[in-house]
Amino acid sequence: MRANPEPLRVGMVGCGRVSSKYIEAIRAADRLILATCTDLNLANAQAVADAHGFDVADSLEALLQDESVDIVLNLTPPHAHEAVTVSALEAGKHVYSEKPLATTREAARLVMHTAASSTCLLACAPDQILTGAMRGAREMIDAGRIGNPIAATAFMMNRGHEQWHPDPAGYYAPPGGGPFYNRAGYYVGALINLFGPVAEVSAMGRITWPSREIKTGSKAGDLISVEVPTHISANLAFENGVIATVVMSFDVWNTSLPRIEIYGSEATVVLPDPVSNNGNVLFLPQYESEAQNIPMRQSQDLGTGIRDLASAIDNNRQPILHAGLAYHIVDIMESVHVSITQGSTQQIESSCLRPELSVLTP
Ligand SMILES: NC(=O)c1ccc[n+]([C@@H]2O[C@H](COP(=O)([O-])OP(=O)(O)OC[C@H]3O[C@@H](n4cnc5c(N)ncnc54)[C@H](O)[C@@H]3O)[C@@H](O)[C@H]2O)c1
């Protein structure tokens, strides 16, 4: 471990909606300081910097040339992740990227290779797979409390981003559009945390409405064209034999289904929503009368991942949310879409290690 290390200085790229949560999380972290930020829309960056008292760089290049910046926090939209992460690694910065690592397998591979040939570390969201309930569920499953894991279900269904987002076209266009790219990082990431890597997938999908109307903001009333499946039903076979049914949809007004359930030879566990993540785990053994609502340590919904990156830098180890995991998730996302188009089962070429939770500080 570095002796009496100075706090690591973070340069934030992208000052949109999610940035306020990171500003809060970094402010609460001993080892991190938010030093500077930038955005394609400099007025955005200036407003955020003024409100929180840090510097503004007038371009990505300027931020990368700032030798005092240790970590680039990539909060740009998915289509920009690859370019920002690659340039940051090439400039000698550690990177924490929002999900997904990139919007295609090819782009994600380039990011991973750039990280592999760099001395800097790369970690990728979502870190919600590391918070209280998910860690508790993994401990229960690893300790054998549900017997042998057999199957899982995961459901994420809503009526789409045009209901609340002022500029939602990117959520309906390739690459990177559709509910699977948008949310599988949380749900499939949570399942990989529990069971390890996925071996093969098969999926069906549909475009329910070829155009959608924006409901809010300055573009309200505009129609956007839908070019990706918006209801996807996928089966994932894990290397350990577990079969998961994963349904992700932007076509559903409401649902009473649980978010994630795990079925073992002795019992079932029900997990809370991995996006908001604060909630308990419900343990359902053979007899309903013995059901237990198990309280889990509650935690901030963002911040574990970037705090762990700081600890990984200090301790000269890989971050828990390592690039191999993020690449495997992109590989699964793209394979699901190929399976929908080709009507065939897809073998997943990549594999990955389960997140190493033993190094996680509370
Ligand atoms: N982990 C989570 O819980 C969570 C929640 C919300 C969003 N996200 C992710 O965070 C990322 C950002 O989401 P958001 O809702 O804040 O998006 P947003 O659209 O509100 O903000 C993105 C910002 O990035 C800027 N930008 C775009 N391209 C850029 C570039 N090349 N260089 C510099 N700035 C650039 C835009 O001008 C904009 O201000 C996305 O990848 C999204 O998937 C994660």
Side-chain angles (χ1 to χ4, degrees), residues 10-13 18 22 25-26 32 70-76 81 84-85 88-89 93-101 120-130 186 301-310 313 319-322:
V10 177
M12 182 169 77
V13 182
V18 81
Y22 277 96
I26 290 171
L32 297 166
D70 301 295
I71 298 175
V72 165
L73 173 59
N74 183 357
L75 303 185
T76 60
H81 287 176
V84 171
T85 298
L89 288 166
K93 310 296 186 193
H94 304 286
V95 178
Y96 188 83
S97 171
E98 250 307 331
K99 49 85 192 167
L101 189 60
C120 295
L121 298 180
L122 167 62
C124 185
D127 56 4
Q128 284 94 334
I129 69 170
L130 301 178
Y186 303 99
D301 59 351
L302 277 178
T304 321
I306 191 163
R307 279 199 307 277
D308 174 67
L309 175 61
I313 295 167
I320 297 174
L321 297 173
H322 56 92

Side-chain angles (χ1 to χ4, degrees), residues 84-334:
V84 171
T85 298
V86 166
S87 5
L89 288 166
E90 287 177 347
K93 310 296 186 193
H94 304 286
V95 178
Y96 188 83
S97 171
E98 250 307 331
K99 49 85 192 167
L101 189 60
T103 51
T104 66
R105 192 158 36 201
E106 194 185 344
R109 202 177 286 134
L110 173 71
V111 174
M112 203 175 57
H113 287 163
T114 310
S117 56
S118 155
T119 52
C120 295
L121 298 180
L122 167 62
C124 185
D127 56 4
Q128 284 94 334
I129 69 170
L130 301 178
T131 48
M134 297 298 152
R135 281 148 78 179
R138 178 162 150 183
E139 279 162 21
M140 279 166 80
I141 292 168
D142 287 357
R145 286 195 60 197
I146 66 164
N148 292 324
I150 297 167
T153 52
F155 299 106
M156 189 296 298
M157 295 191 269
N158 62 46
R159 191 51 182 77
H161 285 57
E162 72 277 17
Q163 306 300 325
W164 58 271
H165 197 295
D167 194 11
Y171 293 98
Y172 295 102
F180 217 84
Y181 268 100
N182 185 242
R183 290 295 169 87
Y186 303 99
Y187 291 80
V188 175
L191 295 175
I192 293 170
N193 183 32
L194 299 178
F195 304 127
V198 173
E200 61 180 26
V201 303
S202 71
M204 290 184 184
R206 56 178 278 169
I207 294 178
T208 300
W209 296 284
S211 71
R212 291 183 177 232
E213 186 183 321
I214 301 176
K215 300 293 185 192
T216 185
S218 60
K219 296 185 179 174
D222 287 5
L223 291 180
I224 46 177
S225 108
V226 177
E227 294 157 41
V228 291
T230 49
H231 183 92
I232 293 177
S233 176
N235 284 319
L236 276 51
F238 285 76
E239 286 180 14
N240 75 348
V242 166
I243 293 176
T245 304
V246 179
V247 179
M248 311 257 119
S249 183
F250 286 159
D251 294 355
V252 174
W253 277 118
N254 226 325
T255 170
S256 62
L257 287 167
R259 294 298 172 262
I260 297 183
E261 284 193 345
I262 312 296
Y263 312 105
S265 56
E266 308 301 326
T268 293
V269 281
V270 185
L271 273 58
D273 181 355
V275 179
S276 59
N277 214 332
N278 282 335
N280 295 332
V281 167
L282 184 61
F283 181 71
L284 300 173
Q286 202 173 351
Y287 301 106
E288 232 171 79
S289 56
E290 293 166 11
Q292 291 169 30
N293 194 359
I294 303 177
M296 292 288 155
R297 189 174 52 245
Q298 307 292 296
S299 49
Q300 273 179 288
D301 59 351
L302 277 178
T304 321
I306 191 163
R307 279 199 307 277
D308 174 67
L309 175 61
S311 162
I313 295 167
D314 287 345
N315 292 291
N316 199 20
R317 62 163 169 84
Q318 278 300 309
I320 297 174
L321 297 173
H322 56 92
L325 169 66
Y327 176 76
H328 187 56
I329 292 173
V330 175
D331 195 3
I332 294 164
M333 290 169 173
E334 187 159 317

